[in-house]
Amino acid sequence: MNAIEWLKHLPQTYGERPFLIDAMTGRTMTFSDIDHAGRHAAGYFRGRGLTRGDRVAFILHNSSLFAELYFGCLYGGCIAVPINPTLTRKEVQLLLEHSHASLVVVSAETFGHLDPAWLSAHGDRVVLLADGRSGAIPTGFPVLDAPTLSASEPVLPFDGVGPDDTMCIVYTSGTTARPVGVVHRIADLIDNARVFSHRVGLGPNNRFLGILAMTYLGGYYNLLMLPYVAGSSVVLTDTFHASSIIDFWRIPREHGVDTLWLVPTICSILMEMDRGREGESYCRSSVRTVLAGTAPLPVKLRRDFEARYGVRILENYGLSETTFITTNAPTLPDLDGCVGRLLPGVQVTILDAGGAPVPYGEEGEIHVCTPFLMKGSLDPETGALVEREMQEWFPTGDIGILMQTGDLFITGRKKDLIIRGGINISPAAVENLLHQHAAVVECAVVGIPHPMYGEDVAAVVRLREGSDANRVMQELSGLCKAGLAPEKRPARLLELEEFPKSATGKIQKRRVREILMMRLGLEEIPLHHRPREKAPMASRGALPGRVRRAITRPDARVVEILRQFSPSIISDCMNRMGIMHADIRLMGSGARCCGPAVTVEEAEGCNLMSHIALEVVQRGDVLVIDAKGIRSRAAWGGVQTLMAEKLGLAGIVINGMVRDLDEIRKRKVPVFALGTSPGGPLKGWGGNVNSPVSCGGVAVNPGDIISGDEDGIVVVPAAMAESLIPLCERRVKLEAEWIQRVERGEGTMDAVGLREMADNIGIQYE
Amino acid sequence: MDVKQQVLAFFGSKGGIPGATEEDRLKCEYLDTRVIDSMGIVAMVLEFEATFGIRFSPAEMQSMEFRTVGGLISLIERMRKEQARG
């Protein structure tokens, strides 16, 4: 199932289950409701003349109507451009001009963020969303409210829209002065969310708290689209702010929230300000998952939080450009400072200063190769899309250590970036602003330790000789207030007469930071943590796997006898149990297969272990591969089928996709799978051969007997096999009798002996 | 400085409280009008607790009184009196 198919199946599968519970209005939307709302919102955009690929900017606070508009964009192929309402007018204007948005949706609260000059030139692009939040709606602009949306002609979702269409442009502070417009395809976000939620075990039973701003990826992706993709629900609230702290647990308790996605700053604020016991007892009784990301989570804070609230925090790591790279999961070891294990399909290499790969356990810059990499970014000057290759290695700018297990530790940062409370701030942008003052000769902006934000912004300036320092410093504060969003403004602004510089004359920011910390009497707060032990050097690539060569196979005579019976007969004699679900179908020849199982467990999207298993199998075996139900790429192909035929295998059963169907059809060995996909499998990850697996909804142990034909697959536990033989023989005779009686003219009610049963049940005839 | 002056000075340092008259300013619901952000409230609580030698309980922080500038001043004054009485 590709990303679009997945999105289409969600409302069909979860229809009347609640998806979005708006705690601010009490409104609940089911999966069907959001699907309908998305169709209408897409219709509204179409009615406004927007077509696939047009950009819609949103300058809005959290609301369920805003969520509807996001779905409208997605369904109609428009590109969402979220813009944070805390930005200054100037910053907003820059993004509006840069993104070339065809439509700009604001609310009564955020209307004032539009520059009057821009508004007079582009007022025809502006729509006011009546999102039910405070503020009088300005006049003179079209108002978009719930009745207008539902009156819009609905459109067919994803009409002419594919997984590679652009879903959103998200502006993030990079190391450059201007924000970077990161462009993501639908598939980047949706497939990453699927892999992430599968790894963490998120599903229909999770209810998230939507507490992050929907104009950030945290609120838009982590807390809206990802829960949707996982079939979970979200309780939407206002963005975490001063008032939320006072009564943090009321909304989770009232709406049964059991999944929290916190940023480290929220964790530390709760540790300080949550003074009752209610949160502790609620967490201990009801919260199943706490995820944390967006900024480094100090080990001490994590441990203190976990000890107090009694729930493990699962850290994850990703960038706006890459989406999630790693995550911790309940099934993974709990390691101090570890941001999780690589997601399936994602590769990381650690490079030293010279650009050479380092062994596992050694420190260096983290480079990522991921199928979920952004489509590209917008050129900072022209706004044109600069595409990236998916197979390209992306430098994260973070320093870290990769263990042989695939566990990743972040140990520092190479890029010039400040992360304050989970928000990226570009020092260059602040420096550019300070340089606008004529009295500033040199300046440097660095991150200084902050107990709750992790980092805060500090600036040092060297002033022109003879300047009135007090006056200039006040003017600089005013400049920052006018030109920078509150979170970007320097908390400390100091004068420095001499800047530390390298031999080439470059300001040494590390040294500036040390000087600042000394002058301010600050102490380092350890944000990063190294792994306890160095991993042994090993070949790069694969996660560890285990191959059991020797298994106990059932008596060959028993297999031979069972081969005479169809899977239907066998299943009937097992109380109709052991049947794999009907999605696993015969792909190749129509021959019946019966043989002992050799089991394979693959990492999602990979098929290395199946190749290994082909060295372990014996003639007559059936290879049962748990490919984790991944439909985006094949786990088996023509070359392997040829090999399987040469080895005399009785069959292949895959909880995944195959490709090279033409080749498979030429072979005698039957192949059963979920379907076909041209996508090639990955090889970089391990798994297991001959461990218990789950395939088609049935547990399969090595040595169990697999019986399959065009009807489907049945698994016979090895211990039960011999005892089935007389039952199957009797069943075959019985069915032969039924056939004879029907051929003689009897009806099935009498031939099969169902009349007495119908009487016993009390079936009434009219 | 008395409690009122200290509290007003704190909000002054955060960019001031909206309102034409002092009466308006004392009625200001500083939590909802976003006079201070999430970190601002942490700083505020910690600063007032240190300055006045008090500690806000969860019930006090969740009271309506806590939400306005004037209410906060009354609350702190009462907490100080109660503390003085032991």
Side-chain angles (χ1 to χ4, degrees):
Chain A
M1 230 187 267
N2 69 28
I4 301 291
E5 289 162 349
W6 186 264
L7 288 167
K8 281 183 181 173
H9 108 90
L10 290 164
Q12 290 163 14
T13 305
Y14 298 115
E16 296 314 309
R17 284 183 75 101
F19 164 58
L20 195 67
I21 299 117
D22 186 340
M24 296 171 283
T25 61
R27 178 187 189 205
T28 295
M29 300 183 82
T30 62
F31 279 80
S32 285
D33 293 337
I34 197 79
D35 178 50
H36 285 121
R39 291 165 188 246
H40 284 281
Y44 173 80
F45 291 134
R46 187 172 289 180
R48 291 271 319 186
L50 269 61
T51 54
R52 178 174 159 251
D54 281 339
R55 298 170 182 181
V56 184
F58 296 107
I59 313 173
L60 297 169
H61 291 292
N62 289 5
S63 73
S64 49
L65 270 184
F66 185 8
E68 289 182 28
L69 297 183
Y70 268 145
F71 276 84
C73 272
L74 181 63
Y75 278 11
C78 293
I79 301 168
V81 185
I83 294 179
N84 176 15
T86 66
L87 296 179
T88 63
R89 256 186 201 172
K90 218 171 172 182
E91 291 169 314
V92 167
Q93 189 191 342
L94 186 78
L95 299 189
L96 288 178
E97 283 169 2
H98 188 252
S99 65
H100 301 291
S102 307
L103 193 71
V104 180
V105 187
V106 290
S107 67
E109 282 176 295
T110 63
F111 180 78
H113 287 71
L114 298 177
D115 181 73
W118 182 89
L119 201 55
S120 60
H122 306 291
D124 57 332
R125 296 187 200 166
V126 174
V127 168
L128 278 156
L129 184 71
D131 56 5
R133 300 175 58 106
S134 60
I137 295 177
T139 52
F141 297 93
V143 173
L144 177 54
D145 54 11
T148 313
L149 269 182
S150 48
S152 302
E153 190 66 31
V155 300
L156 202 63
F158 307 110
D159 190 12
V161 177
D164 286 333
D165 274 38
T166 300
M167 182 166 167
C168 61
I169 298 171
V170 183
Y171 282 94
T172 178
S173 285
T175 53
T176 52
R178 278 170 170 257
V180 179
V182 172
V183 181
H184 274 297
R185 301 171 192 86
I186 296 173
D188 301 340
L189 296 183
I190 303 305
D191 289 344
N192 185 250
R194 286 163 73 183
V195 170
F196 182 94
S197 46
H198 186 264
R199 169 61 61 81
V200 178
L202 302 170
N205 292 326
N206 289 88
R207 177 160 291 185
F208 287 78
L209 181 67
I211 200 173
L212 303 178
M214 285 168 66
T215 45
Y216 278 116
L217 266 184
Y220 170 41
Y221 177 52
N222 303 17
L223 287 172
L224 185 73
M225 295 318 301
L226 188 142
Y228 184 73
V229 164
S232 308
S233 56
V234 182
V235 176
L236 184 65
T237 74
D238 211 348
T239 307
F240 185 77
H241 65 289
S243 204
S244 339
I245 301 161
I246 305 297
D247 202 6
F248 182 82
W249 297 104
R250 183 178 56 81
I251 289 174
R253 201 188 56 233
E254 281 177 6
H255 295 281
V257 168
D258 58 18
T259 306
L260 299 172
W261 205 314
L262 304 176
V263 298
T265 300
I266 297 183
C267 295
S268 61
I269 289 176
L270 282 176
M271 290 302 288
E272 187 62 54
M273 299 294 289
D274 178 21
R275 294 177 171 186
R277 310 307 299 264
E278 183 197 5
E280 293 167 28
S281 62
Y282 182 74
C283 262
R284 284 175 192 277
S285 67
S286 307
V287 173
R288 63 170 78 201
T289 309
V290 178
L291 297 147
T294 73
L297 178 67
V299 170
K300 183 176 182 316
L301 175 60
R302 176 160 87 94
R303 290 299 182 206
D304 288 350
F305 188 98
E306 290 175 340
R308 180 168 177 198
Y309 292 103
V311 54
R312 180 179 165 192
I313 296 182
L314 302 172
E315 271 189 272
N316 41 68
Y317 170 66
L319 308 176
S320 300
E321 294 89 338
T322 61
T323 66
F324 289 112
I325 295 168
T326 65
T327 186
N328 276 292
T331 50
L332 293 175
D334 187 1
L335 305 169
D336 278 348
C338 175
V339 294
R341 191 164 289 184
L342 296 177
L343 288 175
V346 178
Q347 297 175 68
V348 155
T349 186
I350 308 287
L351 303 183
D352 65 17
V358 302
Y360 288 118
E362 299 283 328
E363 195 175 60
E365 188 186 358
I366 302 167
H367 287 240
V368 184
C369 183
T370 166
F372 317 114
L373 185 69
M374 61 176 173
K375 183 176 184 178
S377 56
L378 300 185
D379 181 275
E381 296 304 323
T382 64
L385 175 68
V386 183
E387 286 208 42
R388 289 194 79 102
E389 289 294 320
M390 241 200 291
Q391 294 306 315
E392 220 173 288
W393 285 96
F394 182 83
T396 63
D398 287 316
I399 305 290
I401 295 170
L402 180 68
M403 307 300 277
Q404 194 187 349
T405 51
D407 294 321
L408 188 68
F409 292 74
I410 311 291
T411 54
R413 198 180 308 145
K414 184 182 169 193
K415 61 194 167 195
D416 190 14
L417 189 75
I418 299 166
I419 305 179
R420 179 187 184 270
I423 295 171
N424 291 1
I425 295 164
S426 157
V430 184
E431 286 160 5
N432 270 10
L433 189 84
L434 295 172
H435 268 302
Q436 287 176 13
H437 196 291
V440 173
V441 179
E442 279 181 313
C443 72
V445 172
V446 295
I448 52 171
H450 188 281
M452 299 219 178
Y453 288 136
E455 283 184 293
D456 209 343
V457 184
V460 286
V461 288
R462 185 162 73 82
L463 302 181
R464 213 167 287 286
E465 270 184 46
S467 304
D468 177 349
N470 281 342
R471 186 178 55 79
V472 172
M473 290 310 224
Q474 272 185 5
E475 286 167 357
L476 287 175
S477 295
L479 204 60
C480 291
K481 203 171 171 184
L484 296 170
E487 63 271 14
K488 297 179 190 168
R489 294 173 199 156
R492 300 290 191 148
L493 182 60
L494 285 94
E495 198 186 347
L496 193 65
E497 285 179 359
E498 198 176 338
F499 275 60
K501 288 186 183 158
S502 67
T504 57
K506 204 176 162 199
I507 295 173
Q508 291 174 308
K509 288 211 168 176
R510 191 175 289 229
R511 183 76 192 112
V512 168
R513 187 172 177 274
E514 284 169 7
I515 294 169
L516 258 173
M517 285 179 59
M518 206 157 61
R519 277 176 56 175
L520 297 170
L522 295 173
E523 280 184 23
E524 198 67 74
I525 300 171
L527 290 177
H528 305 292
H529 200 84
R530 284 158 187 278
R532 287 231 170 98
E533 288 169 18
K534 274 191 179 178
M537 262 188 72
S539 63
R540 303 185 62 79
L543 285 169
R546 181 160 296 178
V547 178
R548 246 178 81 201
R549 288 176 179 277
I551 61 166
T552 308
R553 288 179 172 78
D555 188 334
R557 179 188 60 85
V558 173
V559 176
E560 202 50 49
I561 296 171
L562 283 179
R563 183 170 295 126
Q564 299 163 23
F565 306 117
S566 69
S568 312
I569 291 283
I570 293 172
S571 171
D572 281 354
C573 298
M574 289 166 57
N575 292 325
R576 308 195 168 184
M577 303 292 281
I579 307 154
M580 286 193 188
H581 62 59
D583 287 347
I584 298 185
R585 309 291 306 166
L586 184 62
M587 295 284 128
S589 81
R592 181 180 295 168
C593 90
C594 186
V598 166
T599 62
V600 176
E601 186 185 5
E602 296 281 13
E604 293 94 331
C606 294
N607 81 343
L608 173 68
M609 300 311 290
S610 310
H611 285 277
I612 292 173
L614 288 172
E615 294 186 333
V616 172
V617 290
Q618 292 182 7
R619 192 169 193 81
D621 285 344
V622 175
L623 205 54
V624 178
I625 303 163
D626 177 10
K628 302 284 189 282
I630 294 290
R631 289 172 187 261
S632 53
R633 52 181 76 245
W636 185 266
V639 178
Q640 286 163 302
T641 312
L642 169 64
M643 186 71 198
E645 187 181 70
K646 289 178 77 147
L647 291 167
L649 291 192
I652 318 293
V653 180
I654 307 158
N655 187 18
M657 311 297 267
V658 297
R659 64 176 183 173
D660 313 324
L661 198 55
D662 279 1
E663 287 293 317
I664 291 173
R665 284 187 178 133
K666 282 184 208 161
R667 309 294 160 203
K668 286 180 195 141
V669 56
V671 177
F672 299 81
L674 292 175
T676 57
S677 164
L682 306 169
K683 307 280 192 239
W685 310 103
N688 297 301
V689 172
N690 281 327
S691 65
V693 297
S694 169
C695 188
V698 182
V700 184
N701 285 292
D704 285 350
I705 296 174
I706 308 299
S707 167
D709 66 11
E710 282 176 312
D711 283 351
I713 303 285
V714 170
V715 181
V716 181
M720 192 193 272
E722 187 148 17
S723 65
L724 276 181
I725 294 173
L727 299 176
C728 290
E729 285 169 343
R730 233 177 292 155
R731 182 84 191 177
V732 168
K733 274 186 194 159
L734 193 62
E735 288 201 4
E737 265 175 46
W738 294 344
I739 288 167
Q740 275 183 8
R741 290 175 70 171
V742 170
E743 280 177 343
R744 282 202 303 264
E746 279 187 61
T748 54
M749 286 295 286
D750 295 310
V752 183
L754 298 176
R755 202 158 297 285
E756 192 183 345
M757 185 181 288
D759 289 344
N760 289 343
I761 291 170
I763 304 289
Q764 306 257 334
Y765 289 85
E766 290 177 357
Chain B
M1 276 202 284
D2 62 8
V3 173
K4 187 172 169 184
Q5 284 172 322
Q6 295 251 20
V7 170
L8 291 175
F10 173 83
F11 284 109
S13 73
K14 297 287 167 193
I17 313 165
T21 63
E22 183 171 294
E23 197 185 341
D24 289 342
R25 287 195 284 277
L26 291 178
K27 278 185 193 159
C28 168
E29 294 195 12
Y30 62 91
L31 288 177
D32 296 328
T33 48
R34 298 180 185 248
V35 171
I36 54 175
D37 64 5
S38 55
M39 272 307 299
I41 188 153
V42 179
M44 182 194 90
V45 166
L46 297 182
E47 184 171 322
F48 293 162
E49 287 184 340
T51 309
F52 303 118
I54 53 172
R55 184 169 168 83
F56 293 106
S57 69
E60 281 157 347
M61 285 203 281
Q62 286 163 19
S63 67
M64 280 310 293
E65 210 175 7
F66 187 84
R67 304 184 78 86
T68 65
V69 176
L72 184 63
I73 293 167
S74 314
L75 180 65
I76 295 171
E77 283 171 343
R78 198 171 61 248
M79 287 171 76
R80 289 187 80 192
K81 273 185 203 152
E82 279 166 12
Q83 202 169 42
R85 279 204 298 270

